[in-house]
Structure formats: structure tokens, C-alpha cells
Amino acid sequence: MIISIFLFSIFTFRFDLVKGDDVRKFPDYFKFGVSTAAHQIEGAWNVSDKGENIWDHLTHTKPSAIADGSNADVACDSYHLYKRDADMLVELGVDFYRFSISWSRLLPNGFSNKVSQDGLRYYNNLIDELLSRNITPFATLYHWDLPQKLQDLGGWTNPIIVNYFEDYARVAFESFGNRVKNWITINEIPQICTNGYAKDIYAPQVMSSGIGDYLCGHNALLSHARVWHLYNDTFRPTQKGRIGITLYSHWAEPESNSVEDKAISERGMQFLLGWQAHPIFSSEGDYPKVLKEAVYNRSMEQGYSHSRLPVFTLEEIKYLKGASDFLGLNHYTSVVFRNDNKTEWMSQFPNPSKERDLGYDSYFHANWPPTISAWFAVNPPGLKHLLNWIKNEYTNPEVIITENGYLTRGGLIDVDRINYINQNLQSVLEAILDDHCNVTAYSLWSLMDNYEWNDGYRFCFGLYEVDFKSENRTRRPRMSAYVYKEILRTRMINPYYLPSFSDFQYETYKSSASILQCHMKIFSISVIFLLMMHFLF
Ligand code: PNW
């Protein structure tokens, strides 16, 4: 028995946590945060003079676009409950809070001739509340909630958006820049442009596949650059903050180690991330060559008179290059691309489309645990590969992971989320300590359950559960909240950490049955292991 206990402890001891005498810790400069977005949490959709945005419009005119027919009219009601949100940030011990500003709350018509006093008051209160709790505000200007009045003019497909986005950003810098020193211009070009302007998934559901998505991306990149230059030239000298863009990328895992499969993965990465990152972060600027060639060639085959991918002028190429203080990265999952022209996969995508331009089928590796969502399977090493790809492709820019997280159907015992966080942070730690990737911060999605866009309230991403049926939108910490808190406190990952009984106030939880199940599982696995060892030796 003693031998088996000894062996058990040897087997379970994590050598990878310790290297030499040093515990594998996040460096001192590394910051931790949590993320949310205005439309997903604020509610108060028409309070005071707030203007309608494209998600208000879509959910009110076409509820069938949302899995559960819901909207974000109240959501987490953070408009009223932001002090409770600040309490939670303190409970977790985060360094910063990534939230977004609602364009149509600040500028009800989308234009800067009218600034909402109520919008100003709300964000001033939120920012002051955060600062009074010693939490750094990290503000995103655009997280998908375009004022409907601008969509009426074509939204992100109209090049005039660059001017209006600059006007909005100027008001935000003038109003909040004395206290907000960390800014993100735009969150996730692929989701805005592909889901919103190529498909009927996200608002505004403009189905202009293979044209509208590229045009949207083009104008979004130019808008970002305009606002970066505005901040850099006009506000940075006095406000002394920093500003970047948040991009989304899967990791494109090669199907095998063959040269051919690696080339497929590389081309896939250029279509996924290169499309958004190359114009800003590469030394030569502009879109990746493979993307330009592929879209041009297909466009010609399809009888267009020029490429469906818009062309940057030489002046624009220069203007975009280097126009970001850091690369904000959102990442959730990996994907495998496969050069499979024979199957029917292409028929599921319209012609033209970005998928057909890429020309690869995609799938999730059989070893990656699936999640409850069709777009998401779990492959934590993918994050490390992605960080290394960025390091090598763009000469190691500063990367801030602005989103990463896991979804469940609810419940307070979220062991799968805990594993996801531990394993993804392990991947980040290895990228920093072993590969010298310049990652300086990590922000978990999300502080609490919120309005998950076209999935409504059926998927939960929160460290805190939100009771959307209760009047006061009661928030309660999940088990993962305690685990994240412990990681932040110790600055290391202990995959065996479970919150103590007193931390995790079991008696207050309805789901005590599942806690018991969880403990029983751990207990029974240990007993079986010990017995096996006992009989073997
Ligand atoms: C991000 N995908 O969206 C957004 O920034 C958040 O607002 C959102 O709540 C969160 O991730 C979780 O969904 C994504 O299909 C949506 O790969 C879809 C994908 C990636 C990110």
C-alpha cells in the first residue's frame, strides 16, 4: 500500500510545473483580466436617449434570427448593476477589465453632433468605479453594435464609415482618455464581416458573400488605422495611453507533418489571420500575397472585371503598416484544413465566398473534445502554436490575449471550463517561458454569462453565473471563478487545485448534487488507481 501511495504521488506530480528550482510562474509584467462587451451585458437598450443599434434592430424585427428568440434589452442589466460587476472584479483579483463602449449610447444617432449626457454619465461612472477599486479600464470602441442609422448607409461596407468611426473615437478619447489608458479600436474583423456581411448569422445580415465581407474588412482596417493615427498624433502626447486592434484567429493545425499539409495550414493561417494582421503587423504591409492572388484569380474565373478583394493604395499600405501598439488576440479553437476538391463541401458555401477562395474543407480533429457549440472544439496546444506563428510571422509583436474562454449550458460546477482555462493558460505560459513569445496579458471571456449573440442566453461563458430569470440578475461565482482567482493570486497553474469548502460556499448552491458527483468521481478514480497499484506491486 505504501509503495502504491508513493507511486501515486510520483505519477500525479507535475514535473512540468517546476523547472530547476523555479516554479513555472507568469512573469511579473504579465497582467490578467476578464472581458465583456456593451451589447452583451448592459441592457437598458432604450433608456434615456440611447439610439438603436444593429443588434437591437435585428432582434426586434426578426427574433427568429436568435436561437432562443431572445434579445439584449435587459441582458445582465449592467447599466444599473455595474457596481456589482466591479465587486466581482475585485473578488477575482483581476488587474484590468475589458469592457466596450456602446457607440449609440454615447452618440445616439451615430454622429458626433449629438453626445448623450446619459451615455457620458454611465461610462464616467463605470470608469471611476473601476479606478476607485484599483482595476485598470481597458475599453473597446467597437464590439459589434453599430448604430442602425449608420447601417442604413451601408455600415462597414460604405467607405465613409472611416470618418464616422473617427468622429466617435474622438468623442471617446476626449471624454474618457484622461482616465482610460488602454484602448482597442475594433473587435474581430472576421466575425463582424463574415458573419454580418457575407452570411445571415450576425446583424446586419447582409448576405454579400465573397464581396461584402472583403469590403467590410477593408473599411474596418482603414477605420482602425485612422483611429490609431488620431490617437497617436493628437491624444497620445497628453494622454499617454496605448491603442491596438483585436483580431480573431483559430489555429490551423496541419493534418500531418508532411510538407504538403504544413503548406495547407500556412495558407489557411494567411486566410484566417493574415487577412486582418498582415496589413498592420507585417514588415511589407498590404494583404498576404496568397490571399491577393487567390481572390484575384477566382474573381477573373468568375467573370468579375477586378478582384473582389479591394486594393490598398501605396499610401494606405504605409498608413496601415505598424498602426497598432499591440496585437489583441481572441482565440477559442483550432481547425484542420484539408485539400479535398472531390467532396461536396464546396456546395455548402455560396459562390463567390471566402471559403471557396481558400479552397479547403475544414474539420475538427477526432482527438479534440467537442463542445456544445458547432464552431468550437478543444485543442489547448493550438494557442501556443498560434502565438508562435504570430511571433515568427510578424517579428514578435506584443500580444494581448483579449479573449479566450469556454461555454457550458450553465451550472456552478464547471469542471470543463476549469480544465480549458488551466490548459490554455499552460499553453500561454509555455509560449512565454519556452518560446519567448511576447505575450503580456490574458483576458478571459467572460466575467459573467451574457447575451451570446445569435445563440441568445442558451450558452454560458461566465466565470459568474447570471440568473436571467431574476429581477436583479443575480450573479454567483462558479467553481471556475475560484480557480481563476487562485491562478491570479499564485501566478501559476495548479491543475489539481479545487476551491476549499469555505471559499466555495457549497450550501448556497442548488447544484450540490453535482458537486457530490464531482467529488465522488475524483475519489473513485483515486481508489481504483490505488487498488490497481496495490495489486500490481
Ligand atoms: C467572440 N467563431 O466571438 C466575441 O468577441 C464575443 O463577443 C463572444 O461572446 C465570444 O467570442 C464567444 O462567442 C466569436 O465562430 C464568435 O470562431 C464566433 C467565433 C469566434 C469568436
Side-chain angles (χ1 to χ4, degrees):
M1 192 67 181
I2 290 172
I3 296 175
S4 50
I5 288 173
F6 174 71
L7 286 170
F8 181 72
S9 36
I10 297 255
F11 275 115
T12 53
F13 186 75
R14 292 286 304 258
F15 285 101
D16 55 321
L17 290 175
V18 180
K19 210 178 194 181
D21 290 334
D22 300 329
V23 177
R24 302 275 273 169
K25 284 195 170 186
F26 286 92
D28 290 342
Y29 59 78
F30 196 84
K31 304 275 185 240
F32 288 96
V34 283
S35 300
T36 61
H39 188 76
Q40 295 177 271
I41 65 162
E42 285 177 4
W45 82 279
N46 62 353
V47 81
S48 179
D49 53 357
K50 179 180 169 289
E52 186 190 36
N53 68 42
I54 53 175
W55 279 90
D56 297 324
H57 188 79
L58 175 70
T59 54
H60 294 156
T61 53
K62 192 181 163 192
S64 63
I66 311 302
D68 56 7
S70 65
N71 56 50
D73 289 1
V74 183
C76 307
D77 200 19
S78 287
Y79 178 82
H80 296 108
L81 300 174
Y82 67 94
K83 289 192 179 176
R84 168 69 182 125
D85 296 347
D87 289 342
M88 285 144 53
L89 298 165
V90 173
E91 283 164 20
L92 290 169
V94 292
D95 300 302
F96 66 92
Y97 178 42
R98 177 181 175 232
F99 61 96
S100 83
I101 295 171
S102 156
W103 189 335
S104 67
R105 191 180 299 287
L106 192 60
L107 307 181
N109 302 316
F111 306 106
S112 60
N113 63 321
K114 185 180 171 206
V115 181
S116 164
Q117 290 311 303
D118 186 68
L120 280 176
R121 182 193 54 77
Y122 173 65
Y123 292 111
N124 278 327
N125 286 346
L126 171 63
I127 293 161
D128 291 343
E129 188 68 30
L130 295 175
L131 291 172
S132 76
R133 315 284 194 107
N134 220 3
I135 288 161
T136 303
F138 208 134
T140 303
L141 288 168
Y142 186 74
H143 200 124
W144 307 1
D145 44 0
L146 191 72
Q148 181 60 33
K149 287 209 188 311
L150 288 172
Q151 185 50 44
D152 294 341
L153 302 175
W156 291 100
T157 56
N158 185 340
I160 195 87
I161 193 77
V162 180
N163 295 346
Y164 292 125
F165 187 57
E166 182 187 20
D167 290 347
Y168 161 53
R170 185 181 287 109
V171 174
F173 297 149
E174 278 168 357
S175 311
F176 313 123
N178 58 342
R179 288 153 294 151
V180 175
K181 305 296 174 191
N182 294 279
W183 294 94
I184 286 162
T185 52
I186 294 175
N187 178 72
E188 295 186 347
I189 288 177
Q191 278 65 25
I192 298 167
C193 298
T194 309
N195 289 348
Y197 290 86
K199 303 182 184 185
D200 60 350
I201 301 178
Y202 289 174
Q205 293 200 333
V206 174
M207 290 167 73
S208 170
S209 173
I211 297 176
D213 41 1
Y214 291 131
L215 187 52
C216 164
H218 198 73
N219 293 329
L221 284 167
L222 288 166
S223 301
H224 157 78
R226 177 75 71 81
V227 167
W228 184 85
H229 283 282
L230 170 72
Y231 190 81
N232 196 47
D233 300 346
T234 310
F235 291 93
R236 199 199 301 276
T238 50
Q239 297 188 349
K240 303 198 188 319
R242 55 193 192 143
I243 179 161
I245 187 168
T246 279
L247 310 175
Y248 177 81
S249 192
H250 299 327
W251 163 244
E253 176 83 11
E255 196 164 32
S256 77
N257 265 335
S258 73
V259 174
E260 201 198 8
D261 285 342
K262 284 186 173 165
I264 289 173
S265 147
E266 173 59 26
R267 184 178 145 98
M269 282 307 303
Q270 294 297 351
F271 270 68
L272 290 175
L273 185 54
W275 172 36
Q276 318 155 61
H278 203 272
I280 302 172
F281 297 98
S282 70
S283 49
E284 63 271 31
D286 201 357
Y287 292 118
K289 199 162 166 261
V290 281
L291 179 68
K292 286 194 291 187
E293 284 176 3
V295 186
Y296 177 84
N297 291 338
R298 282 224 190 237
S299 303
M300 293 303 120
E301 276 166 38
Q302 291 158 341
Y304 293 92
S305 56
H306 47 80
S307 178
R308 288 175 280 101
L309 182 70
V311 176
F312 287 121
T313 63
L314 283 177
E315 210 178 312
E316 287 169 342
I317 290 173
K318 273 198 223 144
Y319 191 69
L320 263 77
K321 216 169 55 179
S324 193
D325 299 338
F326 55 84
L327 191 161
L329 179 69
N330 290 358
H331 170 79
Y332 291 86
T333 188
S334 296
V335 74
V336 184
F337 287 117
R338 157 169 68 187
N339 194 1
D340 186 1
N341 288 323
K342 293 181 193 66
T343 58
E344 289 302 298
W345 71 269
M346 268 207 192
S347 60
Q348 62 180 302
F349 297 106
N351 200 9
S353 62
K354 190 160 175 271
E355 288 83 355
R356 286 178 180 238
D357 291 337
L358 170 62
Y360 298 150
D361 188 10
S362 72
Y363 68 97
F364 293 135
H365 198 286
N367 292 341
W368 301 342
T371 68
I372 55 173
S373 177
W375 61 266
F376 194 163
V378 179
N379 178 38
L383 180 50
K384 181 171 145 178
H385 296 316
L386 177 60
L387 291 169
N388 272 282
W389 190 87
I390 291 170
K391 174 186 125 183
N392 297 330
E393 186 72 10
Y394 307 122
T395 47
N396 210 6
E398 179 180 349
V399 173
I400 293 179
I401 297 172
T402 41
E403 279 180 37
N404 178 240
Y406 188 83
L407 78 179
T408 66
R409 287 195 197 281
L412 292 166
I413 313 300
D414 52 347
V415 177
D416 289 344
R417 177 176 289 105
I418 292 171
N419 290 336
Y420 183 92
I421 295 171
N422 282 334
Q423 291 165 9
N424 275 271
L425 275 174
Q426 182 65 31
S427 212
V428 175
L429 194 57
E430 287 168 14
I432 297 170
L433 299 185
D434 300 335
D435 307 331
H436 309 291
C437 294
N438 187 11
V439 190
T440 58
Y442 174 95
S443 190
L444 195 108
W445 186 272
S446 175
L447 170 61
M448 62 191 150
D449 296 342
N450 53 53
Y451 187 65
E452 182 51 24
W453 308 110
N454 58 317
D455 285 314
Y457 297 102
R458 66 185 187 142
F459 292 156
C460 307
F461 272 94
L463 289 177
Y464 281 71
E465 171 203 75
V466 177
D467 179 2
F468 291 104
K469 293 198 185 79
S470 73
E471 181 100 358
N472 48 5
R473 297 296 189 272
T474 312
R475 290 112 154 97
R476 290 190 302 177
R478 292 206 164 94
M479 203 179 221
S480 56
Y482 291 97
V483 171
Y484 196 52
K485 181 187 168 95
E486 182 68 4
I487 294 172
L488 274 48
R489 191 184 69 79
T490 58
R491 306 188 68 77
M492 58 179 274
I493 303 151
N494 173 2
Y496 303 103
Y497 174 79
L498 282 179
S500 77
F501 222 75
S502 57
D503 279 343
F504 195 60
Q505 294 168 330
Y506 288 3
E507 67 276 17
T508 63
Y509 293 145
K510 283 188 215 132
S511 47
S512 50
S514 53
I515 296 172
L516 203 67
Q517 276 165 14
C518 168
H519 279 261
M520 286 299 288
K521 217 157 124 187
I522 295 169
F523 180 72
S524 46
I525 291 170
S526 313
V527 169
I528 291 168
F529 188 85
L530 286 172
L531 284 174
M532 268 170 52
M533 288 297 138
H534 185 68
F535 286 116
L536 276 173
F537 298 96

